[in-house]
Amino acid sequence: MTASAGAWYRVGTVNVTNGQQSIVGVNTNWQNDVISIAVGDIFTLDAKTWYEVTAVNSDTSLTLDREFEGATQSAVNYAIVRNTSGTLLTRIAGQIAVQFNQKQLFLDELRTWLNSDNAAEELTDSHGVKTQLKTPAQMVRDHAEKLAELDAIHPHPWVMRKVEFEAMRAANNEKFAASGFVHFGKQIRADKNTPINEGLWTWIDQENVLYTGVADTDTGGEGVSKTKYPTLNMAGVITDLKSLSNTNYVKVKLPPSEDGTRTYDSTTGVSVTHATPALAFAAETATNKVVTDRVDMWGFEAFLREINDNDPFVYKNGLIQSLATNINGVATVSDNVRAITYFAWYEGDTTSRGKGVNWQTATESQRIAIASDPANNIYFDDATGKFYQWCIRGRSFAGKGNGDWDVLDITPSSSGPQFGASKSNNTRVRAQGITDNDESYNNDSSLDYAQVFVDPNADFAGVNRLPDLGIRVLRDHPTNYNKAVDNECYLYICGTVSRLNKGAYHPNLNPWGFCKVERFKVG
């Protein structure tokens, strides 16, 4: 309740004590009401005995001109009669001055509060009550501390976690029956190239190269694929094969074709390169023949790698041979940290160095831009405190001798991809993974890739393999443990290519060393 101008003042109650001049107000507002009590006003309890107010000490304290003559009482009603000897305007002017002073005090205190670096500052409200209030600077510090605490619990919230990555893989494994192409990609119009199969084509004037998919900007792509570029599912991880060894298409690089100088002994597995074709043909025996109709194999290898100081680059979509000029707007540069053999399509390839972004020197905003896109297959493992990227490299293998491969099909067997029928020389495809070793073959049958068991309870080398049709897995062998994180290294075989000897006569006059794709299959 607020008193009005000219009215008797009856807000609250009072405590009075016989023989004392001090009056104690209860829920009164004597000093700070709109029109406050003033010296000279008249105090009474019974409208019979009157006292002059000689001091207004506070909102709840008055001093009378003489001792209170009545009995001591508490919470008793009272009235104060305003002394009309002071004009109303004088009273109002005084109150306005008090209000201005209070507002100015508040503004001064507010300015101090806003600019203070202290933890708290004192502010006074319109009733004169003072309160300690936390400053904005302290609020910012508190917020930063809370973020730091949160970051310690869940650092890098902008990147996929390992559990999310594995959940994504599990969902894809349920969705797809086997590893292989989700989309083949389209091919260039037939008047500009030579189509080979769905999404696979070649420029007739380019040597040792196949292409698959077309550029985003190409309006003339043909085929039934839903995407312009091929998309591959490897062990439940989806990867867009875009800008692989090319800025526009996916380039498949094959080893150079034969020139008539190499012989291969199918019994011993020994290959010899001679000075001239004449010397090579002169060295032929019943089992040792000049390589004239070699069959190459090509495909893709997927592996999990840790991003660290020794291997600091990340690549668009995890393609280590990518030539993309940027990753989500972050400019790429050639990865000169890794040896050129790390990027090789085939043994001896020195032309496939990939471009990426150095994760260890990237800014926070650059990391966020790259890792926020799940297509780049980067995740953070809270258990190890490290970043990982699922990577893909294209690989091609020159056939060791004449004729086709002995084992390529995915069957429930322990044999890996191999060339050569004799047990003494059954050379198997070598896994590369995170290593720089680009060698194509390994003669140790206990190492490298094994075919995937269809039966999840089947056992090989003491390890149960879950069914993952369409790909080959890295054998669980100590020698292979350094080829990928958690031994996660896989091989998907796309097909074979007949590579005729361009140094010898052939009815088709095959100038570039390949005649056709013998097969191109998924699964």
Side-chain angles (χ1 to χ4, degrees):
M1 179 177 177
T2 302
S4 60
W8 286 25
Y9 192 95
R10 297 186 176 90
V11 176
T13 59
V14 293
N15 299 333
V16 293
T17 304
N18 179 262
Q20 291 190 4
Q21 292 178 260
S22 296
I23 304 297
V24 176
V26 179
N27 296 323
T28 54
N29 197 24
W30 291 330
Q31 196 172 60
N32 288 289
D33 212 325
V34 174
I35 300 178
S36 61
I37 303 304
V39 173
D41 286 348
I42 304 167
F43 176 88
T44 183
L45 292 186
D46 55 7
K48 297 178 181 178
T49 306
W50 306 90
Y51 302 88
E52 180 183 357
V53 175
T54 58
V56 183
N57 306 308
S58 70
D59 281 337
T60 58
S61 175
L62 293 178
T63 302
L64 304 180
D65 63 323
R66 64 185 188 276
E67 295 174 352
F68 183 72
E69 299 171 357
T72 300
Q73 301 179 66
S74 297
V76 63
N77 293 325
Y78 74 100
I80 295 177
V81 182
R82 302 184 186 281
N83 189 347
T84 56
S85 61
T87 65
L88 180 59
L89 290 179
T90 301
R91 287 176 175 270
I92 293 175
Q95 289 303 309
I96 291 174
V98 169
Q99 293 297 321
F100 269 116
N101 289 336
Q102 289 176 338
K103 295 298 183 185
Q104 187 61 51
L105 173 63
F106 177 76
L107 290 175
D108 291 342
E109 290 178 339
L110 182 62
R111 187 178 297 107
T112 299
W113 174 79
L114 285 170
N115 296 313
S116 175
D117 195 50
N118 295 331
E121 292 289 347
E122 190 175 72
L123 292 179
T124 306
D125 65 14
S126 60
H127 299 292
V129 178
K130 297 182 180 295
T131 305
Q132 289 285 326
L133 187 64
K134 187 180 295 185
T135 63
Q138 185 60 39
M139 294 179 191
V140 171
R141 288 191 290 268
D142 291 347
H143 180 66
E145 289 176 5
K146 292 298 182 183
L147 288 179
E149 292 174 4
L150 183 62
D151 199 44
I153 299 172
H154 189 77
H156 320 299
W158 33 264
V159 68
M160 182 164 40
R161 322 311 280 191
K162 180 180 181 180
V163 65
E164 295 172 304
F165 181 79
E166 294 301 335
M168 176 190 69
R169 292 180 67 179
N172 288 332
N173 283 328
E174 288 293 323
K175 181 178 180 181
F176 301 105
S179 291
F181 282 98
V182 179
H183 304 292
F184 286 108
K186 296 184 179 297
Q187 65 261 14
I188 297 293
R189 292 194 307 270
D191 61 338
K192 293 185 177 182
N193 72 95
T194 301
I196 300 173
N197 206 331
E198 181 63 39
L200 187 65
W201 53 280
T202 184
W203 293 107
I204 59 175
D205 60 347
Q206 290 193 19
E207 180 178 14
N208 306 317
V209 173
L210 300 175
Y211 290 98
T212 179
V214 299
D216 281 334
T217 56
D218 199 309
T219 59
E222 295 183 340
V224 298
S225 177
K226 292 183 178 181
T227 59
K228 291 187 174 183
Y229 44 84
T231 300
L232 186 63
N233 168 37
M234 289 277 276
V237 182
I238 305 299
T239 303
D240 293 332
L241 303 179
K242 191 175 181 181
S243 302
L244 183 66
S245 295
N246 191 278
T247 55
N248 294 318
Y249 315 116
V250 175
K251 180 188 285 187
V252 176
K253 296 184 177 182
L254 300 173
S257 55
E258 299 291 339
D259 60 2
T261 62
R262 186 169 71 92
T263 57
Y264 175 77
D265 193 311
S266 58
T267 300
T268 64
V270 174
S271 179
V272 177
T273 300
H274 302 268
T276 65
L279 291 174
F281 279 99
E284 285 192 327
T285 66
T287 58
N288 188 51
K289 299 294 183 180
V290 174
V291 180
T292 58
D293 53 350
R294 190 184 82 203
V295 178
D296 291 354
M297 181 263 285
W298 67 281
F300 296 97
E301 185 180 58
F303 54 98
L304 182 64
R305 51 179 280 269
E306 175 191 321
I307 305 167
N308 52 45
D309 290 339
N310 295 323
D311 192 10
F313 271 71
V314 296
Y315 312 90
K316 185 174 181 64
N317 298 343
L319 302 174
I320 69 169
Q321 297 153 327
S322 171
L323 295 183
T325 57
N326 72 85
I327 309 177
N328 299 90
V330 182
T332 60
V333 296
S334 293
D335 179 357
N336 291 313
V337 175
R338 298 302 302 263
I340 189 61
T341 48
Y342 176 69
F343 305 96
W345 266 88
Y346 51 85
E347 186 173 349
D349 175 22
T350 61
T351 63
S352 301
R353 187 179 298 280
K355 301 177 70 175
V357 173
N358 190 317
W359 187 258
Q360 304 301 75
T361 60
T363 64
E364 184 83 349
S365 61
Q366 290 173 331
R367 285 186 171 192
I368 292 173
I370 295 171
S372 295
D373 185 354
N376 292 316
N377 289 323
I378 296 173
Y379 72 79
F380 182 81
D381 187 349
D382 290 287
T384 64
K386 297 176 180 178
F387 291 93
Y388 299 84
Q389 186 174 36
W390 180 271
C391 290
I392 297 281
R393 74 154 55 81
R395 298 195 72 186
S396 56
F397 304 86
K400 298 278 292 182
N402 295 305
D404 208 346
W405 292 64
D406 291 323
V407 178
L408 278 183
D409 292 335
I410 299 296
T411 56
S413 154
S414 62
S415 298
Q418 65 186 47
F419 194 99
S422 172
K423 291 184 178 180
S424 63
N425 62 68
N426 58 354
T427 50
R428 301 172 188 269
V429 168
R430 179 189 290 272
Q432 181 174 350
I434 63 176
T435 72
D436 293 331
N437 187 348
D438 68 347
E439 293 178 21
S440 296
Y441 296 101
N442 190 336
N443 290 325
D444 187 344
S445 62
S446 66
L447 302 179
D448 300 301
Y449 288 115
Q451 290 168 316
V452 180
F453 291 104
V454 177
D455 182 1
N457 297 316
D459 184 81
F460 178 72
V463 175
N464 290 323
R465 296 289 191 186
L466 293 177
D468 197 339
L469 299 178
I471 59 174
R472 304 172 194 278
V473 301
L474 194 64
R475 294 173 189 264
D476 190 55
H477 192 281
T479 306
N480 290 328
Y481 292 164
N482 66 342
K483 293 183 178 179
V485 174
D486 294 334
N487 225 32
E488 290 239 46
C489 187
Y490 306 87
L491 179 66
Y492 174 71
I493 299 171
C494 293
T496 57
V497 183
S498 295
R499 308 301 306 282
L500 302 181
N501 189 328
K502 70 178 183 179
Y505 172 76
H506 184 271
N508 290 342
L509 299 178
N510 178 45
W512 300 123
F514 62 82
C515 177
K516 63 179 180 178
V517 169
E518 185 168 304
R519 63 177 174 271
F520 181 81
K521 61 183 180 178
V522 178

